[in-house]
Amino acid sequence: MASTSNHSPAALVSRSLWYTGPERAEIRTEELKPLPAGAVQVRSLFGALSRGTESLVYRGLVPEGEFERMRAPFMEGIFPYPVKYGYSTVGRVEEGPSSLLGKFVFSLTPHQTLYQMDSNDVVFIPGEIKPERAVLAANMETALNAVWDAAPGPGDKIAIIGAGVVGCLVAYLCAHLPGTEVTLVDIKSERAAIAQALGVRFSLPECAPVDCDIVIHCSASASGLATALACAGDEATVLELSWYGATSISAPLGGAFHSRQIRLQSSQVGHISTSRRPRWTYRRRLSAAIGMLNDVRLDVLLTPAVEFDELPARLPEILGQQSDALCCLIRYP
């Protein structure tokens, strides 16, 4: 539980970001207990803010009926507030099994300077992947699961609507399939440079490709969904990867939607894709996602780091509707 009392000189104190009300946040301190057997103690180095899910938490837009499903793996508190929320932390192991001491690890923990957890809940980061880039692991895991759900194949014509972090990573993964024609579609023309860096095409919505074999929607907007449906070819799949929270949107399901037999499918990282579920664990999926970050081109998704202590003051800017930030990197002291 968060504490504001004076700590003993030997106490281990962690500082963490808590969302305390609509568009309100503060840093609280808490005293850590002695490290349990089989656990690790990790000093956070870098983290990332999710401009999608986390902005809904920040604004209090998580629907009451989704409170339980929306819990992050190591969240504290209860929705709507106060909550310690987040799921992307890279740190160095300070205490724990000798095999992990001094190693860089990733965990799905909220934003906090120091944490303890079971050693099975942290994932080792290979030395060839720099710690800053490893904060993309949770996003890459979402993108990987989406690609499994959409099931594109070699030679497919693929459109990804919405060039946020997840959309860019989906495009990046699809571009690795031989012969694919991958187009990243976004309303912001400046995202063209990011698409080029990732090795995919770019288009504004009004010039988006048509007759696509696979369309993946990531923009979390009604206009984006309309564009996605317009891009789909006959009997093609449109994978809905956006999550709208408590916001209702309209979907243009009239016109030729039924006669063209377009398939509209949802995807959510909380479930391993049915095509992999019998064989894959969550840990295996996350480890695979981390391994896919061994590409310097992905650094184009990282914004200049924000210092952890500045987060409460910077959140309105970072999570604002007008922000152009992609992966909002956090640097811990």
Side-chain angles (χ1 to χ4, degrees):
M1 180 177 293
S3 170
T4 56
S5 61
N6 293 328
H7 303 285
S8 62
L12 277 173
V13 175
S14 176
R15 292 182 295 134
S16 53
L17 181 74
W18 284 75
Y19 295 107
T20 57
E23 301 191 16
R24 297 200 308 272
E26 63 184 40
I27 292 176
R28 297 181 176 182
T29 60
E30 55 190 289
E31 192 171 304
L32 300 184
K33 298 177 180 179
L35 190 67
V40 289
Q41 182 171 297
V42 181
R43 180 76 57 179
S44 301
L45 298 173
F46 297 99
L49 281 163
S50 166
R51 290 198 64 246
T53 304
E54 206 154 345
S55 65
L56 296 175
V57 175
Y58 175 61
R59 293 186 175 86
L61 295 178
V62 178
E64 186 173 350
E66 295 296 310
F67 280 0
E68 191 57 36
R69 279 188 288 265
M70 267 294 295
R71 289 188 64 87
F74 300 100
M75 177 185 118
E76 292 185 28
I78 56 173
F79 285 125
Y81 301 105
V83 288
K84 181 168 70 171
Y85 194 87
Y87 44 81
S88 181
T89 304
V90 171
R92 183 184 283 112
V93 177
E94 288 188 338
E95 288 188 47
S98 58
S99 60
L100 287 174
L101 282 178
K103 300 291 179 62
F104 293 115
V105 293
F106 177 87
S107 63
L108 296 164
T109 48
H111 312 300
Q112 57 193 81
T113 58
L114 186 68
Y115 64 88
Q116 298 172 340
M117 63 174 21
D118 191 286
S119 60
N120 292 320
D121 291 325
V122 299
V123 181
F124 171 69
I125 300 170
E128 62 269 21
I129 299 172
K130 70 177 187 179
E132 295 96 320
R133 193 187 310 138
V135 302
L136 292 167
N139 297 122
M140 181 63 92
E141 187 179 18
T142 301
L144 173 60
N145 205 65
V147 172
W148 285 343
D149 282 336
D156 273 350
K157 184 178 181 181
I158 304 167
I160 292 89
I161 315 302
V165 175
V166 171
C168 288
L169 290 173
V170 169
Y172 168 82
L173 291 179
C174 289
H176 280 74
L177 292 168
T180 52
E181 179 185 315
V182 182
T183 304
L184 194 55
V185 180
D186 199 272
I187 60 175
K188 298 178 180 178
S189 59
E190 56 268 27
R191 296 286 163 90
I194 294 170
Q196 182 179 20
L198 297 176
V200 301
R201 303 180 183 194
F202 178 82
S203 173
L204 293 170
E206 56 266 28
C207 302
V210 295
D211 295 324
C212 292
D213 301 292
I214 298 288
V215 183
I216 302 176
H217 178 229
C218 313
S219 81
S221 68
S223 60
L225 179 55
T227 298
L229 292 168
C231 288
D234 290 352
E235 301 184 27
T237 293
V238 175
L239 189 79
E240 178 56 272
L241 195 51
S242 305
W243 195 71
Y244 302 90
T247 303
S248 295
I249 66 158
S250 61
L253 302 184
F257 175 78
H258 287 86
S259 63
R260 295 172 61 208
Q261 295 187 294
I262 295 171
R263 180 173 181 241
L264 183 58
Q265 177 187 347
S266 65
S267 179
Q268 212 278 334
V269 72
H271 302 280
I272 294 174
S273 175
T274 54
S275 65
R276 301 300 191 279
R277 201 172 298 167
R279 300 171 303 282
W280 283 72
T281 64
Y282 289 101
R283 183 178 181 86
R284 180 186 176 190
R285 187 181 64 179
L286 181 54
S287 295
I290 290 173
M292 294 174 184
L293 296 174
N294 187 21
D295 190 336
V296 68
R297 293 182 297 170
L298 296 174
D299 290 346
V300 72
L301 303 179
L302 302 175
T303 61
V306 175
E307 301 300 327
F308 171 73
D309 290 319
E310 297 176 4
L311 278 178
R314 296 287 302 277
L315 284 175
E317 167 198 346
I318 295 170
L319 299 179
Q321 300 287 347
Q322 303 306 313
S323 174
D324 287 331
L326 284 172
C327 180
C328 307
L329 190 64
I330 302 167
R331 178 166 45 224
Y332 289 90

